[in-house]
Structures are given as C-alpha cells and as structure tokens.
Amino acid sequence: MASNEEITGPISQEDVEAADKLKNEANEYFKKQSYNNAIELYTKAIEKNPKNAVFFANRSIANLRLENFGYALSDASKAIELDRSYTKAYYRRAAAYMSLGKYKLALKDFEYVTKVRPNDQDAKMKYTECNKIVKKIAFEKAISVDKKEVNIADSINLDAMTIEDEYIGPALEDGKVTLKFVTELMEFYKRQKKLHKKYAYKILIDVKAYLQKQPSLVDIKVADEAKFTVCGDIHGQYYDLMNIFKLNGLPSETNPYLFNGDFVDRGSFSVECIFTLFSFKLLYPNHFYMSRGNHETLDMNRMYGFRGEVSSKYTSQMADLFTEVYNWLPLAHCINGRVLVMHGGLFSKDDVTLDDIRKVDRNKQPPEDGIMCELLWSDPQPMLGRAPSKRGVGCQFGPDVTNTFLQRNGLDYVIRSHEVKNDGYEIAHDGKCITVFSAPNYCDTMGNLGAFITMNGKDLKPNFTTYEAVPHPDVKPMAYANSFFNMLCQ
C-alpha cells in the first residue's frame, strides 16, 4: 500500500498552521457539545493536513457522541495507521468497537497498548476492565446455552411476592392495568417513587404474553375523521414524555398513539418511561402501539444505561426479563395500508415487500444485516443510491431507494425516528421520508426541539408539533451507563 506522503505529497507549513487553527476551533465546538460543527471543522483540518493522527482521533470521539459508530471506527483506525504509538486512538477505536458490541476487538486494542506501554497503569486498568466484560458476556452466553429452555417470564413466582403494608403506591386492580392505575403511576413517578416489584413483574409478563401474539408488521386502521399520533425516540426522558401527554392528551381509544422505538437508554428515567408506556399498551392494546428500536436490544442496554438502571431500581433478573420482552416488540407498523412506520429505515436490497417484513422471525437479538437489522438501524441520505452506514450497522439509503420501495408496496411515505433533528423532525426525499425525534435537548446537551406527528385517517397528512425540554430532577443522563464506557468516551 502506498504511504500517505506518496498519496498526498508534501504539506506546506501554511496548510499545517491553517489545519491546527481549524482543529482548535473544532475543539471549542466540541467543548460546547456542538458535535456536528466540530466534525465539519475537523474534516476541514484533515483536508489541509491529512497526516495528523490527532485530527482523526478527535473527529472519532465527536462521531462517537453522535452515535456514528462506523465513522468513529474508521477515523480511529486511520489515526492508528498514521501513528502506531498514539494511545488515545486505540481507546477511541475500542469505544467504537464496544458501541457496536464487538468487545473482543476492543480487548485486542487494549492488549496492544499494554504490550507497547507495559508501565502504563491506565492502559492496564482498561485492559482488565474490558477483559472482565468479555468474560462476563462469555459466562452469560454459556449459562443461556445451558438454560435455553428456561423462560424467565414463566419462572417468576408472583404469588411469592408480598405487598408490604408500608407501600402506598398505585396498585393493579384484580391484576389488571386500569386508567386509575396508570394515572396514579404517572404522578407517582413524577415524585421519583418506585412501583412495587410485584406489579412491575406482572406488567412485563402480561405485555410479553400480548406481544407474542402480534405479527412483526402490525396493520393499524385509522378512521377518516380520527386523529392518530406518532412519536419518535423518548430515550428515558420521562418528564418530556409527560409533556407530550400534556400537549397532545393522554392516550385513549379516541386518542391513539404509536411510539416508534428507543423508549430507553441515555436518559436516566428509562424505567419510568417503559412502565408508563407498557401500562398504556395493556390498557388500550388496540389504540396504543410500540415499535422496537435499536436500543431495545441487549448490547445497547448494557452500554447506555437501561440494564444498569433496571438492576439498580429492581434486579438483574428483571433486566433479563426486559430483554425477553423486547424481543417480541413489532418491527414496523403500517397505517391504513399507506404509511409505513419503522424505527430505522429501508433496506440494502430493492425487492423487500411488506410481506417480507411480516415473515421476519423477530424473537431474537437483531442480526448484523438483513431486514430486521435495517428496520432498526438504517438512515436516509440526500444522495441517490446506497452507502455504508455511518453507524457501522444497517445502510444509508437515498431518495431513489425510498421511491422504489414505496411504489413496489403501494405506499405514500415512510416515517422513521432514530436520529436527533434540531427541529425535532425532518422531511426528506421529496416528502416521502419523514424523521420524528421526540426527546428534546437530547442527553441534556444537544439543544434540539422534540416533535410528534399528528394526522387524520382520511388524508394521512403529517402535522408537526414541536416543543422544548422541560425541567427534570437532578439525575444526569447516562447515570446508570457502563462506567467503563463513559470513561472511554471522555
């Protein structure tokens, strides 16, 4: 392979200085958590001086913050190619690998650093911590193989759980969710109280039993004059979820909702969000819908806080049960046969039909490619055609891909979520691909608006409502995230 110098030729001192100036400007944007602006300036610095490993490593961490794991990985690898001794680049690549659930590859990077820098205590510590994660996952897999016939929902003994006299929270009535229960639950959660574990387990067991009977693609019928609401990512931002209901009304048989994945992770009130949403699902099963997102998966929950939050507020057994329940969430919804809603996006092949989605065996962790993966992970792009995903999973698809899919399946447009948008939504591909994101000021840092979509059954024309974040108790996002991962991403 030709060296970088042979490809680019010599770089003038003027370009070196201009690149350093751009990098410093980018660093200021990064400190302000304006990651897109930082990436733009790091890119300009790289164009001036493509031989500086620091520029690639800095752009890598900015991409990590935006969950562009594929870009983060390639930038960190380029930084390593330019400077084999640049320790930080190995850490960046390890963080990207971990975000993609590739823990063994992350461990290799740490192992390399400990070999070339045997006295580096920080590297030793990170290697040891990563090794613990790899061994723990291997142990969990070994147990799950031994116990593959064990069904956690069936192993829960609700009768053995007693409701203590001092518990004064909401209670299920005859084991059922009622409007009184869910109304009291929302107020209870606003005061940072915890639902009794017996009721929490019962909700999960009942939701799983319901979801198991649902197809992978759910058809929704909306009457001509009826209103229907689609919400995007919530990401554990419970107080913003309450604000949606304040602005748009509580879910009911006359006010149906679809929540389009990523209910949990990042935000530190994910338990409150998911039990509220699951309660509404049980209360109004035919008027309240939930799609699986890429964060309703084991690897994401392990890294981004949900698993830690459930284990802290309840038990690790309940965290395992959530994984079991999430496997049964539908992958997509079709409104009146004309609008397809999925969390991520479209496909790497042109011949996918709605029937293909219906036939997907979804009771598993998403594979690294194929229809299920792409429904949860893909993103639109403005250019024609397809490109490898910036996230390292799924694909990026252009307006021609969207058009072909819509024509093949007799659809008007698609709604998806999965990406932060400054205005809470974005209309792309000539109005045929709409993104809606419902977590305002995402992670308390992004400054974006949240949005939801309302439409009526007759014309299905999307109307957008946007809103700002509301105050929440002083619990930081990622409070329950894997501390090792947080340390890597500093």
Side-chain angles (χ1 to χ4, degrees), residues 220-230 334-341 410-415 431 434 453-464:
I220 300 173
K221 297 295 175 208
V222 182
D224 280 2
E225 301 309 317
K227 169 185 158 188
F228 192 82
T229 301
V230 180
C334 191
I335 304 170
N336 288 358
R338 289 168 53 199
V339 179
L340 187 69
V341 188
L411 297 164
D412 293 354
Y413 63 96
V414 297
I415 297 175
I434 295 171
I453 296 171
T454 54
M455 62 182 77
N456 66 46
K458 188 174 185 181
D459 60 21
L460 299 177
K461 178 178 175 289
N463 303 291
F464 302 93

PDB file of all heavy atoms in Angstrom, residues 220-230 334-341 410-415 431 434 453-464:
ATOM      1  N   ILE A 220     -52.481  -0.979  11.188  1.00  0.00           N
ATOM      2  CA  ILE A 220     -53.306  -0.084  12.005  1.00  0.00           C
ATOM      3  C   ILE A 220     -54.362   0.550  11.108  1.00  0.00           C
ATOM      4  O   ILE A 220     -54.039   1.069  10.034  1.00  0.00           O
ATOM      5  CB  ILE A 220     -52.442   1.032  12.646  1.00  0.00           C
ATOM      6  CG1 ILE A 220     -51.364   0.437  13.543  1.00  0.00           C
ATOM      7  CG2 ILE A 220     -53.313   2.009  13.425  1.00  0.00           C
ATOM      8  CD1 ILE A 220     -50.355   1.465  14.072  1.00  0.00           C
ATOM      9  N   LYS A 221     -55.604   0.500  11.563  1.00  0.00           N
ATOM     10  CA  LYS A 221     -56.687   1.160  10.831  1.00  0.00           C
ATOM     11  C   LYS A 221     -57.080   2.439  11.574  1.00  0.00           C
ATOM     12  O   LYS A 221     -57.378   2.391  12.773  1.00  0.00           O
ATOM     13  CB  LYS A 221     -57.919   0.243  10.727  1.00  0.00           C
ATOM     14  CG  LYS A 221     -57.674  -1.035   9.941  1.00  0.00           C
ATOM     15  CD  LYS A 221     -57.370  -0.762   8.486  1.00  0.00           C
ATOM     16  CE  LYS A 221     -57.016  -2.028   7.732  1.00  0.00           C
ATOM     17  NZ  LYS A 221     -56.125  -1.756   6.587  1.00  0.00           N
ATOM     18  N   VAL A 222     -57.069   3.565  10.869  1.00  0.00           N
ATOM     19  CA  VAL A 222     -57.473   4.843  11.449  1.00  0.00           C
ATOM     20  C   VAL A 222     -58.665   5.357  10.645  1.00  0.00           C
ATOM     21  O   VAL A 222     -58.567   5.513   9.421  1.00  0.00           O
ATOM     22  CB  VAL A 222     -56.321   5.871  11.414  1.00  0.00           C
ATOM     23  CG1 VAL A 222     -56.744   7.184  12.074  1.00  0.00           C
ATOM     24  CG2 VAL A 222     -55.068   5.317  12.100  1.00  0.00           C
ATOM     25  N   ALA A 223     -59.781   5.611  11.337  1.00  0.00           N
ATOM     26  CA  ALA A 223     -60.992   6.088  10.653  1.00  0.00           C
ATOM     27  C   ALA A 223     -60.750   7.469  10.036  1.00  0.00           C
ATOM     28  O   ALA A 223     -59.876   8.224  10.491  1.00  0.00           O
ATOM     29  CB  ALA A 223     -62.155   6.155  11.638  1.00  0.00           C
ATOM     30  N   ASP A 224     -61.546   7.813   9.008  1.00  0.00           N
ATOM     31  CA  ASP A 224     -61.340   9.054   8.244  1.00  0.00           C
ATOM     32  C   ASP A 224     -61.178  10.288   9.126  1.00  0.00           C
ATOM     33  O   ASP A 224     -60.262  11.083   8.948  1.00  0.00           O
ATOM     34  CB  ASP A 224     -62.522   9.286   7.283  1.00  0.00           C
ATOM     35  CG  ASP A 224     -62.385   8.448   6.019  1.00  0.00           C
ATOM     36  OD1 ASP A 224     -61.392   7.681   5.924  1.00  0.00           O
ATOM     37  OD2 ASP A 224     -63.256   8.560   5.141  1.00  0.00           O
ATOM     38  N   GLU A 225     -62.083  10.467  10.060  1.00  0.00           N
ATOM     39  CA  GLU A 225     -62.054  11.691  10.876  1.00  0.00           C
ATOM     40  C   GLU A 225     -61.257  11.517  12.165  1.00  0.00           C
ATOM     41  O   GLU A 225     -61.160  12.439  12.969  1.00  0.00           O
ATOM     42  CB  GLU A 225     -63.489  12.132  11.216  1.00  0.00           C
ATOM     43  CG  GLU A 225     -64.355  12.411   9.989  1.00  0.00           C
ATOM     44  CD  GLU A 225     -63.680  13.347   8.994  1.00  0.00           C
ATOM     45  OE1 GLU A 225     -63.070  14.346   9.429  1.00  0.00           O
ATOM     46  OE2 GLU A 225     -63.744  13.081   7.772  1.00  0.00           O
ATOM     47  N   ALA A 226     -60.710  10.324  12.387  1.00  0.00           N
ATOM     48  CA  ALA A 226     -59.986  10.069  13.643  1.00  0.00           C
ATOM     49  C   ALA A 226     -58.567  10.630  13.582  1.00  0.00           C
ATOM     50  O   ALA A 226     -57.952  10.700  12.518  1.00  0.00           O
ATOM     51  CB  ALA A 226     -59.946   8.570  13.920  1.00  0.00           C
ATOM     52  N   LYS A 227     -58.065  11.025  14.738  1.00  0.00           N
ATOM     53  CA  LYS A 227     -56.697  11.542  14.864  1.00  0.00           C
ATOM     54  C   LYS A 227     -55.765  10.412  15.279  1.00  0.00           C
ATOM     55  O   LYS A 227     -56.160   9.527  16.043  1.00  0.00           O
ATOM     56  CB  LYS A 227     -56.702  12.643  15.935  1.00  0.00           C
ATOM     57  CG  LYS A 227     -55.338  13.123  16.400  1.00  0.00           C
ATOM     58  CD  LYS A 227     -55.519  14.118  17.551  1.00  0.00           C
ATOM     59  CE  LYS A 227     -54.261  14.205  18.395  1.00  0.00           C
ATOM     60  NZ  LYS A 227     -54.457  14.996  19.601  1.00  0.00           N
ATOM     61  N   PHE A 228     -54.537  10.449  14.765  1.00  0.00           N
ATOM     62  CA  PHE A 228     -53.522   9.455  15.141  1.00  0.00           C
ATOM     63  C   PHE A 228     -52.197  10.179  15.353  1.00  0.00           C
ATOM     64  O   PHE A 228     -51.850  11.084  14.595  1.00  0.00           O
ATOM     65  CB  PHE A 228     -53.383   8.389  14.050  1.00  0.00           C
ATOM     66  CG  PHE A 228     -52.576   7.202  14.485  1.00  0.00           C
ATOM     67  CD1 PHE A 228     -53.156   6.195  15.235  1.00  0.00           C
ATOM     68  CD2 PHE A 228     -51.226   7.102  14.170  1.00  0.00           C
ATOM     69  CE1 PHE A 228     -52.407   5.095  15.656  1.00  0.00           C
ATOM     70  CE2 PHE A 228     -50.472   6.013  14.582  1.00  0.00           C
ATOM     71  CZ  PHE A 228     -51.066   5.005  15.329  1.00  0.00           C
ATOM     72  N   THR A 229     -51.466   9.774  16.400  1.00  0.00           N
ATOM     73  CA  THR A 229     -50.205  10.444  16.762  1.00  0.00           C
ATOM     74  C   THR A 229     -49.036   9.466  16.687  1.00  0.00           C
ATOM     75  O   THR A 229     -49.131   8.341  17.185  1.00  0.00           O
ATOM     76  CB  THR A 229     -50.291  11.013  18.196  1.00  0.00           C
ATOM     77  OG1 THR A 229     -51.379  11.933  18.268  1.00  0.00           O
ATOM     78  CG2 THR A 229     -48.998  11.733  18.584  1.00  0.00           C
ATOM     79  N   VAL A 230     -47.942   9.917  16.068  1.00  0.00           N
ATOM     80  CA  VAL A 230     -46.703   9.134  16.023  1.00  0.00           C
ATOM     81  C   VAL A 230     -45.606   9.908  16.761  1.00  0.00           C
ATOM     82  O   VAL A 230     -45.341  11.075  16.452  1.00  0.00           O
ATOM     83  CB  VAL A 230     -46.247   8.859  14.577  1.00  0.00           C
ATOM     84  CG1 VAL A 230     -44.953   8.034  14.569  1.00  0.00           C
ATOM     85  CG2 VAL A 230     -47.340   8.147  13.785  1.00  0.00           C
ATOM     86  N   CYS A 334     -48.009  -0.373   9.788  1.00  0.00           N
ATOM     87  CA  CYS A 334     -48.499   0.195   8.530  1.00  0.00           C
ATOM     88  C   CYS A 334     -49.874   0.817   8.777  1.00  0.00           C
ATOM     89  O   CYS A 334     -50.806   0.129   9.207  1.00  0.00           O
ATOM     90  CB  CYS A 334     -48.585  -0.879   7.455  1.00  0.00           C
ATOM     91  SG  CYS A 334     -48.882  -0.189   5.814  1.00  0.00           S
ATOM     92  N   ILE A 335     -49.981   2.133   8.556  1.00  0.00           N
ATOM     93  CA  ILE A 335     -51.211   2.874   8.833  1.00  0.00           C
ATOM     94  C   ILE A 335     -52.068   2.931   7.564  1.00  0.00           C
ATOM     95  O   ILE A 335     -51.630   3.467   6.533  1.00  0.00           O
ATOM     96  CB  ILE A 335     -50.891   4.300   9.322  1.00  0.00           C
ATOM     97  CG1 ILE A 335     -49.965   4.256  10.552  1.00  0.00           C
ATOM     98  CG2 ILE A 335     -52.183   5.060   9.660  1.00  0.00           C
ATOM     99  CD1 ILE A 335     -49.406   5.611  10.959  1.00  0.00           C
ATOM    100  N   ASN A 336     -53.254   2.344   7.661  1.00  0.00           N
ATOM    101  CA  ASN A 336     -54.223   2.344   6.544  1.00  0.00           C
ATOM    102  C   ASN A 336     -53.622   1.860   5.221  1.00  0.00           C
ATOM    103  O   ASN A 336     -54.022   2.303   4.135  1.00  0.00           O
ATOM    104  CB  ASN A 336     -54.835   3.744   6.359  1.00  0.00           C
ATOM    105  CG  ASN A 336     -55.811   4.089   7.484  1.00  0.00           C
ATOM    106  OD1 ASN A 336     -56.044   3.277   8.372  1.00  0.00           O
ATOM    107  ND2 ASN A 336     -56.370   5.278   7.453  1.00  0.00           N
ATOM    108  N   GLY A 337     -52.622   0.994   5.319  1.00  0.00           N
ATOM    109  CA  GLY A 337     -52.010   0.441   4.112  1.00  0.00           C
ATOM    110  C   GLY A 337     -51.240   1.458   3.284  1.00  0.00           C
ATOM    111  O   GLY A 337     -50.821   1.164   2.161  1.00  0.00           O
ATOM    112  N   ARG A 338     -51.005   2.659   3.859  1.00  0.00           N
ATOM    113  CA  ARG A 338     -50.396   3.732   3.056  1.00  0.00           C
ATOM    114  C   ARG A 338     -49.142   4.357   3.658  1.00  0.00           C
ATOM    115  O   ARG A 338     -48.336   4.939   2.929  1.00  0.00           O
ATOM    116  CB  ARG A 338     -51.442   4.839   2.825  1.00  0.00           C
ATOM    117  CG  ARG A 338     -52.552   4.416   1.870  1.00  0.00           C
ATOM    118  CD  ARG A 338     -53.717   5.383   1.883  1.00  0.00           C
ATOM    119  NE  ARG A 338     -53.298   6.764   1.641  1.00  0.00           N
ATOM    120  CZ  ARG A 338     -54.043   7.828   1.946  1.00  0.00           C
ATOM    121  NH1 ARG A 338     -55.226   7.677   2.516  1.00  0.00           N
ATOM    122  NH2 ARG A 338     -53.608   9.049   1.681  1.00  0.00           N
ATOM    123  N   VAL A 339     -48.980   4.260   4.967  1.00  0.00           N
ATOM    124  CA  VAL A 339     -47.808   4.859   5.614  1.00  0.00           C
ATOM    125  C   VAL A 339     -47.109   3.787   6.441  1.00  0.00           C
ATOM    126  O   VAL A 339     -47.727   3.182   7.329  1.00  0.00           O
ATOM    127  CB  VAL A 339     -48.204   6.037   6.534  1.00  0.00           C
ATOM    128  CG1 VAL A 339     -46.964   6.618   7.216  1.00  0.00           C
ATOM    129  CG2 VAL A 339     -48.926   7.121   5.746  1.00  0.00           C
ATOM    130  N   LEU A 340     -45.838   3.535   6.136  1.00  0.00           N
ATOM    131  CA  LEU A 340     -45.065   2.560   6.900  1.00  0.00           C
ATOM    132  C   LEU A 340     -44.219   3.290   7.932  1.00  0.00           C
ATOM    133  O   LEU A 340     -43.549   4.275   7.618  1.00  0.00           O
ATOM    134  CB  LEU A 340     -44.161   1.728   5.981  1.00  0.00           C
ATOM    135  CG  LEU A 340     -43.437   0.574   6.693  1.00  0.00           C
ATOM    136  CD1 LEU A 340     -44.423  -0.511   7.116  1.00  0.00           C
ATOM    137  CD2 LEU A 340     -42.347  -0.024   5.800  1.00  0.00           C
ATOM    138  N   VAL A 341     -44.259   2.798   9.173  1.00  0.00           N
ATOM    139  CA  VAL A 341     -43.506   3.404  10.271  1.00  0.00           C
ATOM    140  C   VAL A 341     -42.560   2.358  10.845  1.00  0.00           C
ATOM    141  O   VAL A 341     -42.990   1.267  11.245  1.00  0.00           O
ATOM    142  CB  VAL A 341     -44.451   3.918  11.387  1.00  0.00           C
ATOM    143  CG1 VAL A 341     -43.670   4.720  12.425  1.00  0.00           C
ATOM    144  CG2 VAL A 341     -45.584   4.760  10.809  1.00  0.00           C
ATOM    145  N   GLY A 410     -47.023   0.078  -2.767  1.00  0.00           N
ATOM    146  CA  GLY A 410     -48.254   0.864  -2.793  1.00  0.00           C
ATOM    147  C   GLY A 410     -48.408   1.801  -1.616  1.00  0.00           C
ATOM    148  O   GLY A 410     -49.511   2.008  -1.100  1.00  0.00           O
ATOM    149  N   LEU A 411     -47.299   2.409  -1.179  1.00  0.00           N
ATOM    150  CA  LEU A 411     -47.305   3.285  -0.010  1.00  0.00           C
ATOM    151  C   LEU A 411     -47.143   4.752  -0.401  1.00  0.00           C
ATOM    152  O   LEU A 411     -46.604   5.060  -1.476  1.00  0.00           O
ATOM    153  CB  LEU A 411     -46.156   2.891   0.935  1.00  0.00           C
ATOM    154  CG  LEU A 411     -46.225   1.486   1.550  1.00  0.00           C
ATOM    155  CD1 LEU A 411     -44.864   1.098   2.132  1.00  0.00           C
ATOM    156  CD2 LEU A 411     -47.304   1.401   2.619  1.00  0.00           C
ATOM    157  N   ASP A 412     -47.580   5.663   0.475  1.00  0.00           N
ATOM    158  CA  ASP A 412     -47.433   7.111   0.223  1.00  0.00           C
ATOM    159  C   ASP A 412     -46.085   7.634   0.728  1.00  0.00           C
ATOM    160  O   ASP A 412     -45.420   8.404   0.056  1.00  0.00           O
ATOM    161  CB  ASP A 412     -48.556   7.886   0.927  1.00  0.00           C
ATOM    162  CG  ASP A 412     -49.918   7.583   0.322  1.00  0.00           C
ATOM    163  OD1 ASP A 412     -49.968   6.872  -0.694  1.00  0.00           O
ATOM    164  OD2 ASP A 412     -50.931   8.056   0.881  1.00  0.00           O
ATOM    165  N   TYR A 413     -45.734   7.263   1.956  1.00  0.00           N
ATOM    166  CA  TYR A 413     -44.467   7.737   2.526  1.00  0.00           C
ATOM    167  C   TYR A 413     -44.100   6.864   3.732  1.00  0.00           C
ATOM    168  O   TYR A 413     -44.900   6.033   4.171  1.00  0.00           O
ATOM    169  CB  TYR A 413     -44.525   9.220   2.915  1.00  0.00           C
ATOM    170  CG  TYR A 413     -45.515   9.611   3.991  1.00  0.00           C
ATOM    171  CD1 TYR A 413     -45.116   9.724   5.320  1.00  0.00           C
ATOM    172  CD2 TYR A 413     -46.840   9.932   3.683  1.00  0.00           C
ATOM    173  CE1 TYR A 413     -46.011  10.116   6.313  1.00  0.00           C
ATOM    174  CE2 TYR A 413     -47.746  10.320   4.665  1.00  0.00           C
ATOM    175  CZ  TYR A 413     -47.324  10.415   5.990  1.00  0.00           C
ATOM    176  OH  TYR A 413     -48.207  10.803   6.966  1.00  0.00           O
ATOM    177  N   VAL A 414     -42.877   7.053   4.237  1.00  0.00           N
ATOM    178  CA  VAL A 414     -42.444   6.346   5.450  1.00  0.00           C
ATOM    179  C   VAL A 414     -42.148   7.360   6.555  1.00  0.00           C
ATOM    180  O   VAL A 414     -41.737   8.491   6.277  1.00  0.00           O
ATOM    181  CB  VAL A 414     -41.205   5.446   5.215  1.00  0.00           C
ATOM    182  CG1 VAL A 414     -41.502   4.336   4.223  1.00  0.00           C
ATOM    183  CG2 VAL A 414     -39.982   6.252   4.779  1.00  0.00           C
ATOM    184  N   ILE A 415     -42.386   6.930   7.794  1.00  0.00           N
ATOM    185  CA  ILE A 415     -41.980   7.695   8.982  1.00  0.00           C
ATOM    186  C   ILE A 415     -40.951   6.856   9.715  1.00  0.00           C
ATOM    187  O   ILE A 415     -41.145   5.645   9.896  1.00  0.00           O
ATOM    188  CB  ILE A 415     -43.171   7.970   9.919  1.00  0.00           C
ATOM    189  CG1 ILE A 415     -44.227   8.833   9.232  1.00  0.00           C
ATOM    190  CG2 ILE A 415     -42.700   8.638  11.209  1.00  0.00           C
ATOM    191  CD1 ILE A 415     -45.494   9.042  10.065  1.00  0.00           C
ATOM    192  N   GLY A 431     -40.431  14.678   0.537  1.00  0.00           N
ATOM    193  CA  GLY A 431     -41.594  14.484   1.405  1.00  0.00           C
ATOM    194  C   GLY A 431     -41.953  13.031   1.644  1.00  0.00           C
ATOM    195  O   GLY A 431     -42.917  12.725   2.350  1.00  0.00           O
ATOM    196  N   ILE A 434     -39.920  10.832   6.364  1.00  0.00           N
ATOM    197  CA  ILE A 434     -40.023  11.789   7.467  1.00  0.00           C
ATOM    198  C   ILE A 434     -39.362  11.199   8.709  1.00  0.00           C
ATOM    199  O   ILE A 434     -39.612  10.044   9.065  1.00  0.00           O
ATOM    200  CB  ILE A 434     -41.497  12.121   7.763  1.00  0.00           C
ATOM    201  CG1 ILE A 434     -42.118  12.843   6.560  1.00  0.00           C
ATOM    202  CG2 ILE A 434     -41.637  12.962   9.023  1.00  0.00           C
ATOM    203  CD1 ILE A 434     -43.611  13.032   6.655  1.00  0.00           C
ATOM    204  N   ILE A 453     -45.916  13.760  15.483  1.00  0.00           N
ATOM    205  CA  ILE A 453     -46.700  13.916  14.252  1.00  0.00           C
ATOM    206  C   ILE A 453     -48.153  13.553  14.552  1.00  0.00           C
ATOM    207  O   ILE A 453     -48.416  12.517  15.177  1.00  0.00           O
ATOM    208  CB  ILE A 453     -46.175  12.983  13.143  1.00  0.00           C
ATOM    209  CG1 ILE A 453     -44.736  13.357  12.750  1.00  0.00           C
ATOM    210  CG2 ILE A 453     -47.079  13.031  11.912  1.00  0.00           C
ATOM    211  CD1 ILE A 453     -44.077  12.345  11.821  1.00  0.00           C
ATOM    212  N   THR A 454     -49.079  14.390  14.121  1.00  0.00           N
ATOM    213  CA  THR A 454     -50.499  14.008  14.153  1.00  0.00           C
ATOM    214  C   THR A 454     -51.035  13.982  12.723  1.00  0.00           C
ATOM    215  O   THR A 454     -50.550  14.712  11.855  1.00  0.00           O
ATOM    216  CB  THR A 454     -51.329  14.979  15.013  1.00  0.00           C
ATOM    217  OG1 THR A 454     -51.107  16.314  14.553  1.00  0.00           O
ATOM    218  CG2 THR A 454     -50.960  14.881  16.481  1.00  0.00           C
ATOM    219  N   MET A 455     -52.027  13.133  12.510  1.00  0.00           N
ATOM    220  CA  MET A 455     -52.650  13.016  11.177  1.00  0.00           C
ATOM    221  C   MET A 455     -54.077  12.522  11.363  1.00  0.00           C
ATOM    222  O   MET A 455     -54.423  12.008  12.436  1.00  0.00           O
ATOM    223  CB  MET A 455     -51.847  12.030  10.319  1.00  0.00           C
ATOM    224  CG  MET A 455     -51.813  10.620  10.880  1.00  0.00           C
ATOM    225  SD  MET A 455     -50.805   9.466   9.905  1.00  0.00           S
ATOM    226  CE  MET A 455     -49.156   9.938  10.411  1.00  0.00           C
ATOM    227  N   ASN A 456     -54.906  12.675  10.360  1.00  0.00           N
ATOM    228  CA  ASN A 456     -56.211  12.011  10.398  1.00  0.00           C
ATOM    229  C   ASN A 456     -56.219  10.859   9.398  1.00  0.00           C
ATOM    230  O   ASN A 456     -55.383  10.780   8.505  1.00  0.00           O
ATOM    231  CB  ASN A 456     -57.366  13.001  10.160  1.00  0.00           C
ATOM    232  CG  ASN A 456     -57.353  13.583   8.755  1.00  0.00           C
ATOM    233  OD1 ASN A 456     -57.183  12.864   7.772  1.00  0.00           O
ATOM    234  ND2 ASN A 456     -57.534  14.892   8.643  1.00  0.00           N
ATOM    235  N   GLY A 457     -57.190   9.968   9.587  1.00  0.00           N
ATOM    236  CA  GLY A 457     -57.216   8.752   8.774  1.00  0.00           C
ATOM    237  C   GLY A 457     -57.529   8.994   7.312  1.00  0.00           C
ATOM    238  O   GLY A 457     -57.155   8.191   6.461  1.00  0.00           O
ATOM    239  N   LYS A 458     -58.182  10.108   7.037  1.00  0.00           N
ATOM    240  CA  LYS A 458     -58.642  10.348   5.662  1.00  0.00           C
ATOM    241  C   LYS A 458     -57.485  10.651   4.714  1.00  0.00           C
ATOM    242  O   LYS A 458     -57.297   9.984   3.698  1.00  0.00           O
ATOM    243  CB  LYS A 458     -59.650  11.486   5.647  1.00  0.00           C
ATOM    244  CG  LYS A 458     -60.329  11.678   4.299  1.00  0.00           C
ATOM    245  CD  LYS A 458     -61.420  12.732   4.396  1.00  0.00           C
ATOM    246  CE  LYS A 458     -62.172  12.839   3.076  1.00  0.00           C
ATOM    247  NZ  LYS A 458     -63.222  13.859   3.140  1.00  0.00           N
ATOM    248  N   ASP A 459     -56.688  11.682   5.047  1.00  0.00           N
ATOM    249  CA  ASP A 459     -55.622  12.053   4.101  1.00  0.00           C
ATOM    250  C   ASP A 459     -54.220  11.691   4.597  1.00  0.00           C
ATOM    251  O   ASP A 459     -53.256  11.759   3.846  1.00  0.00           O
ATOM    252  CB  ASP A 459     -55.699  13.551   3.752  1.00  0.00           C
ATOM    253  CG  ASP A 459     -55.541  14.457   4.965  1.00  0.00           C
ATOM    254  OD1 ASP A 459     -54.996  14.004   5.998  1.00  0.00           O
ATOM    255  OD2 ASP A 459     -55.950  15.630   4.871  1.00  0.00           O
ATOM    256  N   LEU A 460     -54.100  11.320   5.891  1.00  0.00           N
ATOM    257  CA  LEU A 460     -52.808  10.925   6.487  1.00  0.00           C
ATOM    258  C   LEU A 460     -51.735  11.993   6.293  1.00  0.00           C
ATOM    259  O   LEU A 460     -50.541  11.698   6.243  1.00  0.00           O
ATOM    260  CB  LEU A 460     -52.330   9.589   5.909  1.00  0.00           C
ATOM    261  CG  LEU A 460     -53.260   8.394   6.150  1.00  0.00           C
ATOM    262  CD1 LEU A 460     -52.728   7.149   5.478  1.00  0.00           C
ATOM    263  CD2 LEU A 460     -53.463   8.132   7.638  1.00  0.00           C
ATOM    264  N   LYS A 461     -52.167  13.250   6.187  1.00  0.00           N
ATOM    265  CA  LYS A 461     -51.212  14.348   6.013  1.00  0.00           C
ATOM    266  C   LYS A 461     -50.521  14.610   7.355  1.00  0.00           C
ATOM    267  O   LYS A 461     -51.184  14.820   8.369  1.00  0.00           O
ATOM    268  CB  LYS A 461     -51.955  15.601   5.548  1.00  0.00           C
ATOM    269  CG  LYS A 461     -51.084  16.831   5.376  1.00  0.00           C
ATOM    270  CD  LYS A 461     -51.921  18.012   4.866  1.00  0.00           C
ATOM    271  CE  LYS A 461     -51.103  19.286   4.804  1.00  0.00           C
ATOM    272  NZ  LYS A 461     -50.782  19.829   6.116  1.00  0.00           N
ATOM    273  N   PRO A 462     -49.179  14.606   7.378  1.00  0.00           N
ATOM    274  CA  PRO A 462     -48.481  14.785   8.659  1.00  0.00           C
ATOM    275  C   PRO A 462     -48.490  16.247   9.138  1.00  0.00           C
ATOM    276  O   PRO A 462     -48.170  17.153   8.376  1.00  0.00           O
ATOM    277  CB  PRO A 462     -47.044  14.326   8.340  1.00  0.00           C
ATOM    278  CG  PRO A 462     -46.896  14.547   6.863  1.00  0.00           C
ATOM    279  CD  PRO A 462     -48.250  14.372   6.254  1.00  0.00           C
ATOM    280  N   ASN A 463     -48.881  16.447  10.375  1.00  0.00           N
ATOM    281  CA  ASN A 463     -48.794  17.756  11.025  1.00  0.00           C
ATOM    282  C   ASN A 463     -47.797  17.636  12.173  1.00  0.00           C
ATOM    283  O   ASN A 463     -47.816  16.647  12.919  1.00  0.00           O
ATOM    284  CB  ASN A 463     -50.165  18.166  11.581  1.00  0.00           C
ATOM    285  CG  ASN A 463     -51.222  18.188  10.500  1.00  0.00           C
ATOM    286  OD1 ASN A 463     -51.193  19.034   9.619  1.00  0.00           O
ATOM    287  ND2 ASN A 463     -52.147  17.228  10.534  1.00  0.00           N
ATOM    288  N   PHE A 464     -46.947  18.634  12.318  1.00  0.00           N
ATOM    289  CA  PHE A 464     -45.858  18.549  13.290  1.00  0.00           C
ATOM    290  C   PHE A 464     -46.088  19.492  14.463  1.00  0.00           C
ATOM    291  O   PHE A 464     -46.408  20.671  14.269  1.00  0.00           O
ATOM    292  CB  PHE A 464     -44.525  18.884  12.611  1.00  0.00           C
ATOM    293  CG  PHE A 464     -44.217  17.982  11.444  1.00  0.00           C
ATOM    294  CD1 PHE A 464     -44.579  18.347  10.153  1.00  0.00           C
ATOM    295  CD2 PHE A 464     -43.608  16.756  11.642  1.00  0.00           C
ATOM    296  CE1 PHE A 464     -44.322  17.516   9.073  1.00  0.00           C
ATOM    297  CE2 PHE A 464     -43.347  15.915  10.572  1.00  0.00           C
ATOM    298  CZ  PHE A 464     -43.709  16.285   9.290  1.00  0.00           C
TER     299      PHE A 464
END
